[in-house]
Amino acid sequence: MEDTRVDNLSNYPYNLSYERNEKKSIVLNIFPEDKKKMDSSNVTWGYLKQPYLKDTIRIRIEGSGNQKGIIKIW
């Protein structure tokens, strides 16, 4: 995390996000069952009402080569 920005114009002022890979050689997706742990979400963003996670969030790493793995955020 390099900085924190609070969106005061939203019901979900905190978010979990990441930059998409410009070459699209690696894809990062939040596990579908972990999206339910956030107040609102889509594939690449998770929105929260409070500045903390209720539970561990997992992000799947898949690449065009052998890049595979899971990132856990808590």
Side-chain angles (χ1 to χ4, degrees):
M1 172 67 65
E2 294 179 13
D3 61 14
T4 301
R5 297 179 204 162
V6 179
D7 182 359
N8 293 318
L9 302 176
S10 171
N11 289 332
Y12 309 107
Y14 303 95
N15 67 59
L16 170 68
S17 64
Y18 49 86
E19 294 293 324
R20 297 291 284 185
N21 185 297
E22 291 181 14
K23 295 181 182 179
K24 298 187 181 181
S25 60
I26 297 175
V27 176
L28 303 172
N29 290 315
I30 298 171
F31 276 62
E33 57 271 22
D34 289 353
K35 290 182 206 176
K36 297 173 186 173
K37 297 176 183 178
M38 293 181 266
D39 297 315
S40 181
S41 66
N42 62 28
V43 173
T44 58
W45 292 76
Y47 300 96
L48 304 162
K49 292 180 181 180
Q50 301 296 321
Y52 56 84
L53 295 171
K54 299 172 189 171
D55 199 353
T56 301
I57 303 296
R58 297 167 299 152
I59 298 173
R60 184 182 316 277
I61 304 168
E62 296 177 350
S64 57
N66 282 334
Q67 305 96 334
K68 295 192 184 300
I70 298 172
I71 299 170
K72 292 185 178 180
I73 303 167
W74 64 93

